[in-house]
Amino acid sequence: MVMLNEFLISGILMGFASGISPGPLLAMTISESLEHGSRAGIKVAVSPFITDILIVSIILLFLLEFENYDSVIAMISIGGAFYLIYLGISSLKTKNINLELETKKTDSLKKGIIANFLSPHPYLFWIAIGGPIIFKAQDTSIFSAMLFVAGFYGLLVGSKIIIAMLVGRSRTFLKNNYYLYTIRSLGLVYMVFAFYFLKQGLELLN
């Protein structure tokens, strides 16, 4: 049960960090909320539920081909560590939230789906980070892998929904220092996960 809780907590932390960090989907969530209200922003926020079914399935099938090759998984883990370090440094160096994005149409869900499909973030995350975690979770049980996925998407989408609601009610939310400090503090979370992935990669190489 301890291991199951660890995977759930990992999913929650990674989902929350990904959900509130600046990126194409968050930019569109905020833009739609500002122009058309919170409901439009929420439609964009839930788009990963649609797009990631295909994205994650393809990536996991790809990674399954290399699951028994420790050297390949090791290099993926080390690559994931460097990617997390990059995300951590970016979060720590965040000085302001500049997510300007012009929108004219109100097809919010459609635009969210397109933006997420074209964004490199979900592909990089599931290849370098999410995929290896799921395989490790499956060594414990399928339920532990489900906990990670549930925690990740619950916070990834949930945090964006909350931001859409807050932005729809108050345009000053993005200028709030608490939001900025939260993003910066999550840089440390990325660093912790980077250390974990680096350690795992080096152990597999040895």
Side-chain angles (χ1 to χ4, degrees):
M1 184 59 69
V2 174
M3 287 299 293
L4 296 182
N5 288 336
E6 288 181 7
F7 288 117
L8 177 61
I9 292 171
S10 296
I12 288 172
L13 289 175
M14 293 303 300
F16 182 61
S18 301
I20 72 168
S21 297
L25 196 63
L26 181 62
M28 186 165 287
T29 298
I30 291 170
S31 179
E32 289 291 297
S33 299
L34 290 173
E35 283 207 30
H36 309 295
S38 297
R39 182 175 296 182
I42 290 172
K43 289 180 180 179
V44 176
V46 301
S47 62
F49 284 143
I50 300 173
T51 60
D52 287 21
I53 293 175
L54 179 59
I55 293 173
V56 176
S57 297
I58 292 174
I59 289 174
L60 291 181
L61 286 173
F62 169 77
L63 292 177
L64 276 172
E65 296 295 322
F66 303 100
E67 186 181 10
N68 296 321
Y69 295 89
D70 286 351
S71 59
V72 176
I73 298 299
M75 296 308 298
I76 290 174
S77 294
I78 292 173
F82 284 110
Y83 179 52
L84 285 166
I85 290 172
Y86 163 75
L87 293 176
I89 293 174
S90 297
S91 295
L92 290 169
K93 292 173 65 176
T94 301
K95 295 181 179 179
N96 54 61
I97 311 300
N98 184 17
L99 293 169
E100 294 182 1
L101 185 67
E102 293 184 2
T103 58
K104 295 181 180 180
K105 299 180 181 179
T106 57
D107 299 330
S108 303
L109 180 59
K110 180 180 178 181
K111 285 189 287 187
I113 291 172
I114 294 173
N116 206 46
F117 262 129
L118 297 180
S119 171
H121 293 296
Y123 300 94
L124 289 172
F125 174 84
W126 284 106
I127 289 174
I129 303 168
I133 290 179
I134 283 185
F135 289 142
K136 185 175 180 63
Q138 283 183 326
D139 291 339
T140 304
S141 73
I142 188 66
F143 184 59
S144 61
M146 292 171 61
L147 279 176
F148 172 76
V149 173
F152 178 77
Y153 280 104
L155 270 293
L156 173 73
V157 174
S159 59
K160 282 184 170 59
I161 288 176
I162 292 174
I163 289 174
M165 294 172 65
L166 291 172
V167 170
R169 293 181 179 180
S170 174
R171 292 171 179 251
T172 61
F173 169 73
L174 295 178
K175 299 179 181 179
N176 192 311
N177 285 333
Y178 290 113
Y179 180 50
L180 182 60
Y181 294 151
T182 300
I183 291 177
R184 288 178 179 173
S185 65
L186 287 172
L188 300 177
V189 175
Y190 282 127
M191 293 299 185
V192 171
F193 277 98
F195 173 78
Y196 166 78
F197 270 77
L198 187 60
K199 178 176 178 290
Q200 177 177 273
L202 293 175
E203 287 176 350
L204 287 172
L205 284 178
N206 291 331

